[in-house]
Amino acid sequence: MEIPNFLMTGLTLISLLSINTFSAEVDFSSNPFLEENKHVQGPQVFSFSKQPERVPDIFHGSNYVELAKQTQVNGFALVEPDKVIDLATWIEGFTQYTETFSKKLKPLILAEQSDYDQSHLVNNFAADIDNLESVIDKEFTVKSKHLGGNFIAGKGWDQLTYIVTHPDYEVVVIEVQAFDESSGAVMDADTINYRVKGSPAVLYVLQDKAGNASTQLSWLTPQASYNIQLEKNVNAVALQSKFNTLVEAITSDD
């Protein structure tokens, strides 16, 4: 299952967070969906409930805010079995996408880059991921690593996806998107229920009556957005402290 709409990334939903956005005071007035704000880049936090009529239709008709609140209050949101994340299905779809990307899109994108970038940056990610790669080398077994998305001249690809395994979490998907002058991410301030090194984050822990559970955590830094998914309840006593330490360890020191 993909939790919709608390976080959007792309080339059209672009706004820049002031430093106050990463403190307790969130600027709810800077609506990134207004035409006059779309030229600003980077991470943006905005309360969608403040001007719902100016928010794209894709955000409407979902209980994603309520699920975030239930997670914060109860440790998880009780849902039907089909709402718990199925990573096997997610990975199957992602694998098909990467095959198409590598064969059809990647050559076209690289052909537009300088000779230097094609020679030296074809396998480079555009943001600092030293912390992430250090943790992965020490704690995870890598099943798949994919670089894609858009190519940022002089830097590298703006999307990175790791599919890894871990003794405590089993299969884990970690995604990072780098921001540049033409991209960013939007988070619904009404869903914020977590912090990673002080940065705003949204934690969803979904669990059915049989105890099957999944976790999705997304957070923003000034330079990138992060998303991690696994088929566990990370608010369980045995995992909570470990998970908190993990996500802080993989986050770059912006």
Side-chain angles (χ1 to χ4, degrees):
M1 175 202 179
E2 180 182 357
I3 298 294
N5 313 332
F6 61 85
L7 175 66
M8 284 196 69
T9 59
L11 300 182
T12 57
L13 305 178
I14 311 301
S15 288
L16 177 66
L17 286 172
S18 68
I19 189 66
N20 288 337
T21 306
F22 289 96
S23 68
E25 297 297 325
V26 178
D27 180 8
F28 296 123
S29 63
S30 182
N31 186 343
F33 302 108
L34 298 180
E35 192 63 36
E36 59 266 28
N37 291 332
K38 290 184 179 180
H39 66 284
V40 190
Q41 298 83 36
Q44 173 70 277
V45 174
F46 172 71
S47 174
F48 291 5
S49 64
K50 298 295 181 179
Q51 291 181 296
E53 74 282 0
R54 306 305 296 270
V55 174
D57 290 341
I58 189 175
F59 289 89
H60 301 143
S62 172
N63 65 338
Y64 69 96
V65 175
E66 181 60 28
L67 293 176
K69 291 179 179 178
Q70 290 179 25
T71 298
Q72 184 173 28
V73 173
N74 302 320
F76 66 90
L78 186 64
V79 297
E80 294 299 317
D82 64 338
K83 301 302 182 183
V84 176
I85 293 170
D86 178 1
L87 281 185
T89 300
W90 187 97
I91 290 170
E92 181 181 356
F94 179 75
T95 300
Q96 294 175 356
Y97 159 75
T98 57
E99 290 177 355
T100 300
F101 178 86
S102 297
K103 293 178 181 178
K104 296 184 177 180
L105 298 178
K106 186 175 180 179
L108 296 175
I109 295 171
L110 285 177
E112 298 296 322
Q113 310 309 316
S114 68
D115 290 342
Y116 177 86
D117 282 4
Q118 292 185 54
S119 299
H120 296 86
L121 300 179
V122 63
N123 295 315
N124 197 58
F125 183 60
D128 173 20
I129 53 169
D130 288 347
N131 289 7
L132 171 61
E133 298 210 318
S134 176
V135 172
I136 285 178
D137 288 344
K138 293 176 183 177
E139 299 191 27
F140 292 91
T141 298
V142 177
K143 296 298 183 182
S144 174
K145 177 183 179 182
H146 176 74
L147 286 165
N150 300 296
F151 194 93
I152 302 175
K155 294 182 178 180
W157 298 99
D158 70 349
Q159 293 180 13
L160 168 67
T161 302
Y162 269 109
I163 299 173
V164 296
T165 59
H166 187 278
D168 292 326
Y169 310 113
E170 298 179 2
V171 178
V172 181
V173 175
I174 303 172
E175 301 168 277
V176 188
Q177 176 172 334
F179 302 142
D180 76 335
E181 65 276 2
S182 63
S183 65
V186 178
M187 178 179 286
D188 187 346
D190 301 322
T191 63
I192 295 174
N193 59 3
Y194 198 93
R195 293 275 167 172
V196 178
K197 289 185 175 178
S199 293
V202 185
L203 175 67
Y204 287 102
V205 179
L206 308 182
Q207 187 165 305
D208 65 21
K209 291 181 179 179
N212 301 307
S214 62
T215 290
Q216 180 172 329
L217 175 68
S218 296
W219 65 103
L220 300 176
T221 74
Q223 304 302 322
S225 66
Y226 292 77
N227 184 68
I228 185 169
Q229 298 182 78
L230 58 146
E231 292 178 324
K232 297 281 186 178
N233 179 344
V234 298
N235 281 331
V237 174
L239 292 180
Q240 190 173 51
S241 179
K242 292 180 181 179
F243 184 72
N244 293 343
T245 300
L246 171 68
V247 296
E248 293 218 349
I250 69 177
T251 306
S252 64
D253 300 311
D254 291 308

